[in-house]
Amino acid sequence: MRVGVLTGGGDCPGLNAVIRAVVRKGVQEYGYTFTGFRDGWRGPLQDRTVPLGIPAVRGILPRGGTVLGSSRTNPLNEEDGIRRIQDTLRRREIDALVTIGGEDTLGVAALLSEEHGIPCVGVPKTIDNDLSATDYTFGFDTAVNIATEAIDRLHTTAESHMRVLVVEVMGRHAGWIALHSGLAGGANVILIPEQPFDIDQVCAWVTSRFKASYAPIVVVAEGAVPKDGDLVLKDQSLDSFGHVRLSGIGEWLAKQIEKRTGHEARTTVLGHIQRGGTPSAFDRWLATRFGLHAIDCVRDRDFGKMVALRGTDIVRVPLAAATARLKTVDPALYQEVGVFFG
Amino acid sequence: MRVGVLTGGGDCPGLNAVIRAVVRKGVQEYGYTFTGFRDGWRGPLQDRTVPLGIPAVRGILPRGGTVLGSSRTNPLNEEDGIRRIQDTLRRREIDALVTIGGEDTLGVAALLSEEHGIPCVGVPKTIDNDLSATDYTFGFDTAVNIATEAIDRLHTTAESHMRVLVVEVMGRHAGWIALHSGLAGGANVILIPEQPFDIDQVCAWVTSRFKASYAPIVVVAEGAVPKDGDLVLKDQSLDSFGHVRLSGIGEWLAKQIEKRTGHEARTTVLGHIQRGGTPSAFDRWLATRFGLHAIDCVRDRDFGKMVALRGTDIVRVPLAAATARLKTVDPALYQEVGVFFG
Amino acid sequence: MRVGVLTGGGDCPGLNAVIRAVVRKGVQEYGYTFTGFRDGWRGPLQDRTVPLGIPAVRGILPRGGTVLGSSRTNPLNEEDGIRRIQDTLRRREIDALVTIGGEDTLGVAALLSEEHGIPCVGVPKTIDNDLSATDYTFGFDTAVNIATEAIDRLHTTAESHMRVLVVEVMGRHAGWIALHSGLAGGANVILIPEQPFDIDQVCAWVTSRFKASYAPIVVVAEGAVPKDGDLVLKDQSLDSFGHVRLSGIGEWLAKQIEKRTGHEARTTVLGHIQRGGTPSAFDRWLATRFGLHAIDCVRDRDFGKMVALRGTDIVRVPLAAATARLKTVDPALYQEVGVFFG
Amino acid sequence: MRVGVLTGGGDCPGLNAVIRAVVRKGVQEYGYTFTGFRDGWRGPLQDRTVPLGIPAVRGILPRGGTVLGSSRTNPLNEEDGIRRIQDTLRRREIDALVTIGGEDTLGVAALLSEEHGIPCVGVPKTIDNDLSATDYTFGFDTAVNIATEAIDRLHTTAESHMRVLVVEVMGRHAGWIALHSGLAGGANVILIPEQPFDIDQVCAWVTSRFKASYAPIVVVAEGAVPKDGDLVLKDQSLDSFGHVRLSGIGEWLAKQIEKRTGHEARTTVLGHIQRGGTPSAFDRWLATRFGLHAIDCVRDRDFGKMVALRGTDIVRVPLAAATARLKTVDPALYQEVGVFFG
């Protein structure tokens, strides 16, 4: 049996751990051979491959990124995309395809599997942890640890100076990283995309925090927005192409807090350091177990499925579940955490 | 309402996060006052207390250990123990007791609650993660991260030299830390208390690993034992008190591997560094949520209960569940991981 | 003998290690008593003190910030400033003053010592490492480690995606942090304040890097400027107070690179996380030795001096040396490192 | 010009950074070609090489170990060793040899250079920092950071429990790692090979520490010995080969402390984790600069020299200096640090 593997979408600590587990178990226990497709769906589209066997996966467990490369190429947007993929798989005699990726990558896998008879198994990947079909996705724990460590360091400065410290973390549509790292780091305000914020309320928390102890730390997801959207527009600037460009929400927030409370404010923008580097132990564990179970799906010819975490168990759910619903932060959970604000 | 809080048993990263969450929510949302009992059950036994309010919990979230101190004192072994505890609680007008601890501490809480009408709420704590009533306990993720980082570092040496590297990690009765850190660290052999090991099999893995690539890394839980127990006894030495003292299993294993395979072996014994220092983000999140839910149990007068993690939810289970059954590593899971051995 | 201690200027990992060493040796070996002045020179100006003895310095070695607090208050700008300080010291019977701070704080100490007979000993502190009188200052190594770890993480993303990654680090006037972290992190371009950069050269490095391997990482000190300063002005925006506000150089650079090379670029702004958190082992060692030698200066009544590192020795230099000359990056050193650009 | 490179002796974080710098500058600035010799002196002895050019050094900066492999093979102990090396170098037309290693490796280089006309340049490497010709060697800072972090974690347990915590660190002949990490970690006793210790004094420090605050942390170099050597012998055990085997000094010390003070004691043996994993920023900086200057020695045909750190400068010293004198801890420095004992 010959199995293809590809990774799509943004990079995420743990991808290599999945690849390694799939290959190690596939080769050692089931005697499969493997073909690595390069750069996500672009690989089978353009028939670009890399050799994939035990030597290729040696030593990759602790390494971030993906040895297969990645891209956001979507075959549905390419002329004859699906047929070209079918051709590649047929020519290379691929019996099954393990696809590791987020909503987009798995959405294609679901379609190929259901409507075009291409035997796909999915492994969910999103650093934002916003997939409703699984308790957690790998990469998320690493990102939260990095953001938390950054917040820890800011407390020192907050104690010694009278500056509001704003930290902008990842999360365009879901506030999980902000919520977890903000709580773990002891932030005084956490702002998430799911709950448009009231800038007056933010400033009230800032002010009360100063009275209670020392300078506040504000964690804001990159996708968080104020209730009164006009506020942001009034503060826009032109980018270097001459287009209107919203400044990052972190920088915007710092300026608003300065203007409204009179307290100086500084911004840290963590950016891509949240998704790079070696995965945490939790993410390696989860990614490895996802890989082991994905190749078991192949062995069972249980296609059109995706592996998922439920409690401490790895289960199988339909691939379509991956794209069914974005898992956003429950208002009740946000309120639970709100006891630490201000 | 006046609430007592105590922490018992071995220290564990996240204890302070629980205490902080209990007090912050109790004071801010419910208007409770708090009494901290010092050093576990010894506190109410000897009426030793510490002031516990918002100022006392400021800044403790990222700190290991427990600001309340801890001990292994068991009131059931003390003369008049239960009555003395009742006296203290009555005199101090304590309406509820939040007890944070492992099997022993919570076992006492269960008894006091069920048979002596003392209103207890429990928060489970065991760095070994061996409580069947909850998916995870706080402290475990931190320990696994520390052990994994140590194993990561050993790969460098294993690549450059021809030495077998043995790492002894915590786990007297359950192999969770060995299993998770060994898998996450890419160990070539993992030995756990649940599965007495065959020293010949271990040496076979060591030898095959040398042939396949470079020197092997062996992770062994402190409670792991060989199938043929006589082996250990034959290798014993006298300790400084003149008593028979089994050497640590890690050191014993290194010597056996040297003798049987002819390969040099070195041992690292992580010891207490696994349970110290700042908690990981996961453990802070879990510990904080445990604390928030424990004080909600108090508010609901839902005594005799313990908070527990199920998937991503915090639930309540009877306190007795804490001591019902040790959660050991399932043989099927150990076998799943075995694909990486050798 | 009674010794006063104060810390001035921005916070810096290692301040507490200095304070601890001064007090431990002063009390234990010389039998001195101590008075802590709060918030830098504001302390003696307003007679604000904190108790300072063995208990106050327990456990502070690994903690960032300063238990004495800090400020940028300059007594020379205060009415009657010097006389008020003299009054405080006389009233409190202070025989010597250990002042820990940067150029400003030590400049005052030099003046008080030379012209007003106030017996001062100085300990140099600047996270930017830009003091010519000492090989290194504490805090710098910690900042470089934090920035290097961030750059390490970005390599993962650079390998998997085609994005230029810009990291803005501290350094208004001197590029030491950018130079050391950029070199240690394997950056492809390093821009420092001492060498105004040619944006065309930067874009040429970016382009050549893409051809040679994968996406480049650009490290830029916050004080770096392009040769053609007009470039920046043309790209300015108004801040929330309606004033002209230059965007951060990191963000500006990312936009220029995008516009000129056509490659997408992303920015990380590390901000205050570089100066917070626990000091590295090197910084604790250096800060502790500075403290031990500073109190020896007091014992020797060798006032008007500052401790400094030369090789592996701690030496004494005149306090005035602290402010004599900014230590900037030597062009020859910058060129030496340039072999790694592009 | 063709340059050979080899790495000898124990592994040490920073070796790859040296190799990369030598090759990058050699190729890019001087147009040299390179031959990598595998496994130290065994490479030229057995004519075992690896390709070494820009592609081979890509991405190795942050990686521990050495891409060239290492060994302790000494050509002086091999039949015809020197002649075989000369043959290899002649056949491969090697014009210069960059040798990276410790006392043994560089001792051979000195001899080859002085007496056999083989053009060698040396780069000093010893994790123990015990080379008198240079202020610091790379790898040392990494080891100290790892040991310090371990000690930091133990404080948590020491605070919560009444257990003496013994940490055994590297250092057979010199106590630098113990001294620096013990000081940086706030240890209460530091024992080094240079100063045979009095077990009664150690126990006195342990006892006084318990009275002053909480449980003590004892850092002991693996080569530390008690004044009364008989003590150790009386406590020996037989190893698995039936030979007398001294237990590790850490474990021995823990047992002695238990017996003599009545306090429970626990041991952590860090072992090889101190020399593995990614180098600290300081070590990468130092190793890279060593490499850049070593290849400049080659360009200047300045053979028989070794690069060394003096303050912040890289200088050249005779290769013979590497083996001239072991740099041990000065008694005055040990005494300086002694203020923190007990």
Side-chain angles (χ1 to χ4, degrees):
Chain A
M1 195 156 179
R2 175 166 289 275
V3 182
V5 184
L6 64 82
T7 54
D11 69 322
C12 189
L15 285 169
N16 283 326
V18 178
I19 297 168
R20 170 180 174 265
V22 164
V23 171
R24 286 289 295 267
K25 188 162 192 182
V27 170
Q28 295 176 200
E29 301 217 341
Y30 305 138
Y32 298 162
T33 54
F34 285 87
T35 298
F37 287 104
R38 188 187 287 276
D39 296 340
W41 287 112
R42 195 190 294 153
L45 267 176
Q46 306 180 353
D47 196 17
R48 302 181 58 194
T49 64
V50 284
L52 191 58
I54 299 292
V57 301
R58 184 153 286 147
I60 67 173
L61 170 63
R63 289 172 52 196
T66 161
V67 292
L68 297 177
S70 187
S71 77
R72 297 192 190 275
T73 299
N74 187 333
L76 307 182
N77 302 335
E78 305 282 321
E79 201 185 319
D80 252 358
I82 291 172
R83 196 193 43 74
R84 283 158 61 197
I85 289 178
Q86 288 174 317
D87 285 353
T88 300
L89 299 182
R90 192 176 311 116
R91 194 174 333 110
R92 294 196 168 269
E93 301 182 327
I94 303 293
D95 301 302
L97 197 55
V98 175
T99 58
I100 311 164
E103 220 182 333
D104 293 345
T105 306
L106 297 187
V108 171
L111 185 83
L112 293 184
S113 211
E114 283 164 33
E115 305 192 4
H116 301 277
I118 297 179
C120 290
V121 167
V123 177
K125 174 222 63 122
T126 149
I127 203 154
D128 291 333
N129 197 37
D130 54 1
L131 238 75
S132 57
T134 182
D135 281 0
Y136 288 103
T137 46
F138 59 85
F140 172 67
D141 184 63
T142 303
V144 170
N145 271 312
I146 293 169
T148 300
E149 196 186 322
I151 300 168
D152 276 359
R153 292 194 175 275
L154 293 177
H155 278 279
T156 308
T157 298
E159 280 180 67
S160 315
H161 296 283
M162 290 292 95
R163 282 173 180 169
V164 181
L165 297 163
V166 176
V167 192
E168 184 183 309
V169 300
M170 287 189 309
R172 289 204 182 281
H173 307 296
W176 292 108
I177 291 178
L179 192 74
H180 276 244
S181 68
L183 183 76
N188 309 106
V189 180
I190 300 172
L191 304 176
I192 61 176
E194 293 89 339
Q195 301 269 345
F197 62 84
D198 177 347
I199 186 70
D200 292 324
Q201 172 65 72
V202 171
C203 291
W205 279 324
V206 163
T207 305
S208 74
R209 168 68 181 179
F210 268 112
K211 282 181 193 146
S213 56
Y214 55 76
I217 293 173
V218 177
V219 173
V220 56
E222 59 187 332
V225 287
K227 271 181 181 157
D228 181 357
D230 287 355
L231 279 171
V232 178
L233 280 177
K234 271 185 274 171
D235 205 56
Q236 78 207 7
S237 61
L238 295 192
D239 73 4
S240 41
F241 299 87
H243 301 143
V244 169
R245 175 171 178 148
L246 296 183
S247 9
I249 187 69
E251 189 59 30
W252 181 86
L253 201 59
K255 286 192 277 184
Q256 290 291 322
I257 291 171
E258 284 194 346
K259 188 168 67 175
R260 289 159 182 261
T261 69
H263 291 290
E264 233 185 314
R266 289 286 182 280
T267 311
T268 288
V269 181
L270 291 178
H272 279 64
I273 65 171
Q274 294 163 90
R275 65 189 323 145
T278 193
S280 70
F282 181 94
D283 283 338
R284 297 187 199 178
W285 171 263
L286 179 58
T288 297
R289 293 199 70 208
F290 273 173
L292 296 177
H293 283 255
I295 198 68
D296 280 359
C297 286
V298 170
R299 178 204 54 190
D300 298 343
R301 305 192 158 277
D302 191 6
F303 298 116
K305 292 288 172 59
M306 176 183 94
V307 293
L309 179 70
R310 293 279 166 80
T312 60
D313 293 326
I314 310 297
V315 299
R316 301 172 186 182
V317 299
L319 255 173
T323 56
R325 195 168 58 81
L326 195 71
K327 181 174 67 178
T328 52
V329 175
D330 185 337
L333 181 60
Y334 185 66
Q335 199 188 349
E336 183 181 312
V337 166
V339 68
F340 298 108
F341 292 0
Chain B
M1 197 158 179
R2 175 166 290 275
V3 182
V5 184
L6 63 82
T7 54
D11 69 322
C12 189
L15 286 169
N16 283 326
V18 178
I19 298 168
R20 169 180 175 263
V22 164
V23 171
R24 286 289 295 267
K25 187 162 193 183
V27 171
Q28 293 175 202
E29 301 217 343
Y30 305 140
Y32 298 163
T33 54
F34 285 87
T35 298
F37 286 104
R38 188 187 288 276
D39 296 341
W41 287 112
R42 195 190 295 153
L45 268 174
Q46 305 180 354
D47 196 16
R48 302 180 58 193
T49 64
V50 284
L52 191 58
I54 298 292
V57 300
R58 183 152 288 146
I60 68 173
L61 170 62
R63 290 173 51 197
T66 160
V67 292
L68 297 177
S70 186
S71 77
R72 298 192 188 274
T73 300
N74 187 333
L76 307 182
N77 302 334
E78 305 283 320
E79 202 185 319
D80 252 358
I82 290 171
R83 196 194 43 73
R84 283 159 61 198
I85 288 178
Q86 288 174 317
D87 285 354
T88 300
L89 299 182
R90 193 175 313 115
R91 195 175 333 111
R92 294 197 168 269
E93 302 182 326
I94 303 293
D95 301 302
L97 197 56
V98 175
T99 58
I100 311 165
E103 220 182 333
D104 292 346
T105 306
L106 298 187
V108 172
L111 185 83
L112 293 184
S113 211
E114 284 165 31
E115 305 192 4
H116 301 279
I118 296 180
C120 290
V121 168
V123 176
K125 175 223 62 125
T126 148
I127 203 155
D128 292 332
N129 197 38
D130 55 1
L131 237 74
S132 57
T134 182
D135 281 359
Y136 289 104
T137 46
F138 59 86
F140 171 67
D141 184 63
T142 303
V144 170
N145 272 312
I146 292 168
T148 300
E149 196 185 324
I151 300 168
D152 276 359
R153 292 193 174 275
L154 293 176
H155 278 280
T156 307
T157 298
E159 280 180 67
S160 316
H161 296 283
M162 289 292 94
R163 282 174 180 168
V164 181
L165 297 163
V166 176
V167 192
E168 184 182 310
V169 300
M170 286 189 307
R172 290 205 180 281
H173 307 295
W176 292 109
I177 291 178
L179 192 75
H180 277 245
S181 67
L183 183 76
N188 309 106
V189 181
I190 301 173
L191 304 175
I192 61 176
E194 292 89 338
Q195 302 268 345
F197 60 85
D198 176 347
I199 186 70
D200 292 323
Q201 172 65 72
V202 170
C203 291
W205 280 324
V206 163
T207 305
S208 74
R209 167 69 182 179
F210 268 112
K211 283 182 193 145
S213 57
Y214 55 76
I217 293 172
V218 178
V219 173
V220 56
E222 59 186 332
V225 287
K227 272 181 181 157
D228 181 357
D230 286 355
L231 280 171
V232 179
L233 279 176
K234 270 185 274 170
D235 204 59
Q236 77 207 9
S237 61
L238 295 192
D239 74 2
S240 41
F241 298 87
H243 300 144
V244 169
R245 174 172 178 149
L246 295 183
S247 9
I249 187 69
E251 189 58 31
W252 181 87
L253 201 60
K255 285 191 277 184
Q256 290 290 322
I257 291 171
E258 284 194 345
K259 188 168 66 177
R260 290 159 182 260
T261 69
H263 291 289
E264 232 185 314
R266 288 287 181 278
T267 311
T268 288
V269 181
L270 290 179
H272 280 64
I273 65 170
Q274 294 163 89
R275 65 190 322 146
T278 193
S280 70
F282 181 94
D283 282 338
R284 297 187 199 177
W285 170 264
L286 179 58
T288 297
R289 293 198 71 208
F290 273 174
L292 295 177
H293 283 256
I295 198 67
D296 280 359
C297 287
V298 171
R299 178 205 53 188
D300 298 344
R301 304 193 159 275
D302 192 5
F303 298 116
K305 292 289 172 57
M306 176 183 95
V307 292
L309 179 70
R310 293 278 167 81
T312 59
D313 293 325
I314 310 296
V315 300
R316 301 173 185 182
V317 299
L319 255 173
T323 57
R325 195 169 56 82
L326 195 70
K327 181 175 67 179
T328 52
V329 174
D330 185 339
L333 181 60
Y334 185 65
Q335 200 188 348
E336 183 181 312
V337 166
V339 68
F340 299 107
F341 292 180
Chain C
M1 196 157 176
R2 174 166 290 275
V3 183
V5 183
L6 63 82
T7 54
D11 69 324
C12 189
L15 285 168
N16 283 326
V18 178
I19 298 168
R20 168 179 175 266
V22 164
V23 171
R24 287 288 295 267
K25 188 163 193 183
V27 170
Q28 293 176 201
E29 302 218 341
Y30 305 140
Y32 298 163
T33 53
F34 285 87
T35 298
F37 287 105
R38 187 188 288 275
D39 295 341
W41 288 112
R42 195 189 294 154
L45 267 175
Q46 304 181 354
D47 196 16
R48 302 180 57 192
T49 65
V50 284
L52 191 58
I54 299 291
V57 301
R58 183 152 288 146
I60 68 174
L61 170 63
R63 288 171 52 196
T66 161
V67 292
L68 297 177
S70 186
S71 77
R72 298 190 189 276
T73 300
N74 188 333
L76 306 182
N77 301 335
E78 306 282 322
E79 201 184 319
D80 251 359
I82 290 172
R83 196 192 44 73
R84 284 158 61 196
I85 288 177
Q86 288 174 317
D87 285 355
T88 299
L89 299 181
R90 193 176 313 115
R91 196 176 329 112
R92 294 196 168 270
E93 302 182 327
I94 303 293
D95 301 301
L97 198 55
V98 176
T99 57
I100 311 163
E103 223 182 328
D104 293 346
T105 306
L106 298 187
V108 172
L111 184 84
L112 292 183
S113 210
E114 283 164 33
E115 305 192 6
H116 300 279
I118 297 179
C120 290
V121 168
V123 176
K125 175 224 63 128
T126 148
I127 203 156
D128 291 333
N129 197 38
D130 54 2
L131 238 74
S132 57
T134 184
D135 282 1
Y136 289 104
T137 45
F138 59 86
F140 171 67
D141 184 63
T142 303
V144 170
N145 271 314
I146 293 169
T148 300
E149 196 186 322
I151 300 168
D152 276 359
R153 292 193 175 276
L154 293 177
H155 278 281
T156 307
T157 298
E159 280 181 66
S160 316
H161 297 282
M162 290 291 96
R163 281 172 180 171
V164 182
L165 297 164
V166 176
V167 192
E168 184 183 309
V169 300
M170 286 190 307
R172 290 206 180 278
H173 308 295
W176 292 108
I177 292 178
L179 193 74
H180 277 243
S181 67
L183 184 76
N188 309 105
V189 180
I190 301 173
L191 304 176
I192 61 176
E194 293 89 338
Q195 302 268 348
F197 61 84
D198 177 346
I199 185 72
D200 291 325
Q201 172 66 72
V202 171
C203 291
W205 280 324
V206 163
T207 305
S208 75
R209 167 70 181 178
F210 268 112
K211 281 179 194 148
S213 55
Y214 54 76
I217 293 173
V218 178
V219 173
V220 56
E222 59 186 331
V225 287
K227 273 180 181 159
D228 182 355
D230 287 356
L231 279 170
V232 179
L233 280 176
K234 270 186 273 168
D235 204 59
Q236 77 205 7
S237 61
L238 295 192
D239 74 1
S240 41
F241 298 86
H243 300 143
V244 169
R245 173 173 181 147
L246 295 182
S247 10
I249 187 68
E251 188 59 31
W252 181 86
L253 201 59
K255 284 191 277 182
Q256 290 290 322
I257 291 171
E258 284 195 344
K259 187 167 66 176
R260 288 159 182 260
T261 69
H263 290 290
E264 231 185 316
R266 288 286 182 280
T267 311
T268 288
V269 181
L270 291 178
H272 279 65
I273 65 170
Q274 293 163 90
R275 66 190 321 148
T278 193
S280 70
F282 181 94
D283 283 337
R284 296 188 200 178
W285 170 264
L286 178 58
T288 297
R289 294 198 70 209
F290 272 173
L292 295 177
H293 283 255
I295 197 68
D296 280 359
C297 287
V298 170
R299 179 204 52 189
D300 298 342
R301 303 195 160 276
D302 191 6
F303 298 116
K305 292 289 172 57
M306 176 183 96
V307 293
L309 179 70
R310 292 279 166 81
T312 60
D313 294 325
I314 309 296
V315 299
R316 300 172 187 182
V317 300
L319 254 174
T323 56
R325 196 169 57 81
L326 195 71
K327 182 174 68 178
T328 52
V329 174
D330 185 339
L333 182 59
Y334 186 64
Q335 201 188 347
E336 184 180 312
V337 166
V339 68
F340 298 109
F341 292 0
Chain D
M1 196 158 177
R2 174 167 290 275
V3 183
V5 184
L6 64 81
T7 54
D11 68 324
C12 189
L15 285 168
N16 283 326
V18 178
I19 298 168
R20 168 179 175 265
V22 164
V23 171
R24 286 288 295 268
K25 187 162 193 184
V27 170
Q28 293 175 201
E29 302 216 342
Y30 305 139
Y32 298 162
T33 53
F34 286 87
T35 298
F37 287 105
R38 188 187 288 275
D39 295 341
W41 288 111
R42 195 189 295 152
L45 267 175
Q46 305 181 353
D47 196 16
R48 301 180 58 193
T49 63
V50 284
L52 191 58
I54 299 291
V57 301
R58 183 152 289 145
I60 69 174
L61 171 64
R63 289 172 51 196
T66 159
V67 291
L68 297 177
S70 186
S71 78
R72 297 190 190 276
T73 300
N74 187 334
L76 307 181
N77 301 335
E78 305 282 321
E79 203 184 319
D80 251 358
I82 291 170
R83 196 193 44 74
R84 283 159 61 198
I85 288 179
Q86 288 174 317
D87 286 353
T88 300
L89 299 181
R90 193 176 312 116
R91 195 177 330 114
R92 293 197 169 269
E93 302 182 325
I94 303 293
D95 301 301
L97 198 54
V98 176
T99 57
I100 311 164
E103 222 182 330
D104 293 346
T105 306
L106 298 188
V108 171
L111 184 83
L112 293 184
S113 209
E114 282 164 34
E115 305 192 5
H116 300 278
I118 297 180
C120 290
V121 168
V123 176
K125 175 225 62 131
T126 146
I127 202 155
D128 290 333
N129 197 37
D130 55 1
L131 238 73
S132 57
T134 183
D135 281 0
Y136 289 104
T137 45
F138 60 85
F140 171 67
D141 184 64
T142 303
V144 171
N145 271 313
I146 293 169
T148 301
E149 196 185 324
I151 300 168
D152 276 359
R153 292 194 174 277
L154 293 177
H155 278 280
T156 307
T157 298
E159 279 180 67
S160 316
H161 296 282
M162 289 292 97
R163 282 171 179 170
V164 181
L165 297 163
V166 176
V167 191
E168 184 183 311
V169 300
M170 286 188 308
R172 289 204 180 280
H173 307 295
W176 293 109
I177 292 178
L179 193 74
H180 277 244
S181 67
L183 184 76
N188 309 105
V189 180
I190 300 173
L191 304 175
I192 61 175
E194 293 89 338
Q195 302 269 346
F197 60 85
D198 177 347
I199 186 72
D200 291 325
Q201 172 65 74
V202 171
C203 291
W205 280 325
V206 163
T207 305
S208 76
R209 167 70 181 177
F210 268 113
K211 281 178 193 150
S213 54
Y214 53 77
I217 292 172
V218 178
V219 173
V220 57
E222 58 186 332
V225 287
K227 272 179 181 157
D228 181 356
D230 287 355
L231 278 171
V232 179
L233 280 176
K234 271 185 274 171
D235 205 58
Q236 76 206 8
S237 60
L238 295 191
D239 74 2
S240 40
F241 298 88
H243 300 143
V244 169
R245 173 171 180 147
L246 296 183
S247 10
I249 187 67
E251 188 59 30
W252 181 86
L253 202 59
K255 285 191 276 184
Q256 290 291 323
I257 291 171
E258 284 194 346
K259 187 168 67 177
R260 289 159 181 261
T261 70
H263 290 289
E264 231 185 316
R266 288 286 182 280
T267 310
T268 288
V269 181
L270 290 179
H272 279 65
I273 65 170
Q274 293 162 91
R275 66 190 320 148
T278 193
S280 70
F282 181 93
D283 283 338
R284 297 188 199 177
W285 171 263
L286 179 58
T288 297
R289 294 199 70 210
F290 273 173
L292 296 177
H293 283 255
I295 198 67
D296 280 359
C297 287
V298 170
R299 180 205 52 189
D300 298 343
R301 302 192 162 278
D302 190 6
F303 298 117
K305 292 289 171 57
M306 176 183 95
V307 293
L309 179 70
R310 292 281 166 80
T312 59
D313 293 326
I314 310 297
V315 299
R316 300 172 185 182
V317 299
L319 254 173
T323 57
R325 195 169 56 81
L326 195 71
K327 181 175 67 178
T328 52
V329 175
D330 185 339
L333 181 60
Y334 186 65
Q335 201 187 347
E336 183 181 313
V337 166
V339 68
F340 299 109
F341 292 2

